[in-house]
Amino acid sequence: MPSQKELTEQAQAALAAVHSGRMVEAGAERVTDGIHTEPSLSEGRTYRLDLVCVGNGSARLTFTPANTGTETKVPCDQSVVQQRITVHKPVRIDVDGTKGATGVIAWRIDAI
C-alpha cells in the first residue's frame, strides 16, 4: 500500500501534467478529510479547477452557490477531473469521499 506521501506526489504529478494558466490556489488532502475551501477568486472571472484522486473509491465535488460549477464524481483512479468555474459571488468548494473511499485528493485552481 503506497504511503500518503507517495499518493500525494502521484496526484500532484497528474495535475502538473494538465497545468495551464496562472495558479491561484492548490492543495492536497486525505480523501477521508475531504476538501473544504473558500478560495479568494475575483468576481466575474472564469477559472479552471483541476482535481485528481489517487487511491480507492471516489469522491463528490460540490459548489456553493450551486451554479458556480457542476456537481460531479471524482473517481480515485488518477484521472483528472476539470471544471470551468465562473465566479459571481464568494464560492465554497467541497469534495467529500464516498463511503469507504481512501487515498489523496490534489486540486488546483488556475485563472484562465
Side-chain angles (χ1 to χ4, degrees):
M1 183 77 191
S3 70
Q4 183 176 339
K5 181 176 185 291
E6 290 168 326
L7 292 174
T8 301
E9 288 168 356
Q10 284 179 31
Q12 290 174 332
L15 287 184
V18 298
H19 171 60
S20 69
R22 184 177 53 81
M23 188 185 79
V24 176
E25 194 168 304
E29 303 290 343
R30 290 191 319 231
V31 173
T32 50
D33 294 338
I35 296 167
H36 308 285
T37 185
E38 296 181 24
S40 300
L41 304 177
S42 303
E43 289 188 31
R45 297 280 311 271
T46 300
Y47 297 87
R48 193 177 80 200
L49 170 65
D50 294 328
L51 291 155
V52 65
C53 183
V54 179
N56 295 298
S58 66
R60 171 124 335 251
L61 164 66
T62 56
F63 297 93
T64 308
N67 67 353
T68 303
T70 306
E71 181 176 324
T72 223
K73 179 180 175 181
V74 182
C76 293
D77 63 0
Q78 298 189 45
S79 59
V80 178
V81 172
Q82 296 184 329
Q83 280 267 354
R84 283 176 81 91
I85 54 177
T86 302
V87 178
H88 302 294
K89 56 178 73 164
V91 172
R92 180 178 167 96
I93 299 169
D94 291 292
V95 183
D96 293 293
T98 57
K99 186 170 170 55
T102 60
V104 170
I105 305 170
W107 56 279
R108 71 186 291 142
I109 298 171
D110 289 328
I112 54 176

